[in-house]
Amino acid sequence: MDSYIICSTPRTGSTLLCDLLSSTGIAGQPDSFFMQNPDPIWVAEWGLPKSGDVEDPEYCVAFINAALKAGRGETKIFGLRLMWESLKPLMNLIDGTYPELTSDRARLRAAFGETLFIHLTREDKLDQAISMVRAEQTGLWHIAPDGTEVERLSQPEEPEYNFERISANRVELEQHDQHWEKWFATQDIKPLRIRYENLSANPLAIVECICQNLDAGKPSPDDLEPGVAKMADSTSLEWKRRFQRDAFSHAIAD
């Protein structure tokens, strides 16, 4: 395999998986290179054309080549994390580079070579939605294993239980997983399926499985470095129990 794409949704352990794969030294440096609004730090470092226009073939080629270099690191394999909402921005870039190809899968293969598609999901969508709401409210998305902050997107705020917001997030996350499934079927893709619950319980086994499917070699357990830690706590559990009670009450009322 030349590359892999981790097809996922937020709060599924995708950052943990990217960190673990990066630390192997044989499976690229996966990251979210194709967001709707690219990281300005990357744009500056990559020296992209100023147009920023996906209708500009020069810009599209430059962006894809820069992402390929960053996603490979010092290895031969390109790694990419891709949320559902980022699929369209990615395909817009590739469309501008390979306009003659008719399917997403063909265009991705032209851009990234032989690609392993990994579908990373979280079985407990309520836990996932609660994790997402707490991150959105507090601004804190990831912490290191020692408890220090790794990624903060806004100023600290106290989290506040919100039934409607959790419910809406759960529905959206379920829909995005369904969109991935439909896309896989349309593109005749059989992804490697990984669950957050298994990744959390046995990360080494998951990383070994991915490296085996990539034919990248066997990673050394001593090299694996989880850059982030699980953030669920007693508050998460309290919110889950409260949500379940509220959902039951709503069902009775209806």
Side-chain angles (χ1 to χ4, degrees), residues 126-127 130-131 133-135 137-138 157-162 166 231-243 245:
L126 178 53
D127 280 350
I130 288 172
S131 177
V133 169
R134 289 193 66 186
Q137 289 183 343
T138 65
E157 290 186 17
E158 285 297 317
E160 182 178 352
Y161 171 80
N162 186 315
I166 294 172
M231 295 179 65
D233 55 18
S234 58
T235 299
S236 304
L237 181 58
E238 177 191 348
W239 282 18
K240 183 173 186 177
R241 290 170 175 168
R242 186 173 174 182
F243 182 92
R245 291 195 301 268

Side-chain angles (χ1 to χ4, degrees), residues 192-246:
L192 175 65
R193 299 185 182 279
I194 295 174
R195 293 190 308 164
Y196 162 85
E197 288 78 7
N198 294 336
L199 173 62
S200 180
N202 195 343
L204 175 59
I206 296 300
V207 171
E208 286 182 340
C209 176
I210 292 173
C211 288
Q212 181 180 14
N213 276 271
L214 290 169
D215 196 24
K218 188 172 183 179
S220 169
D222 295 336
D223 291 335
L224 297 189
E225 296 181 4
V228 295
K230 191 173 182 178
M231 295 179 65
D233 55 18
S234 58
T235 299
S236 304
L237 181 58
E238 177 191 348
W239 282 18
K240 183 173 186 177
R241 290 170 175 168
R242 186 173 174 182
F243 182 92
Q244 290 169 333
R245 291 195 301 268
D246 290 348

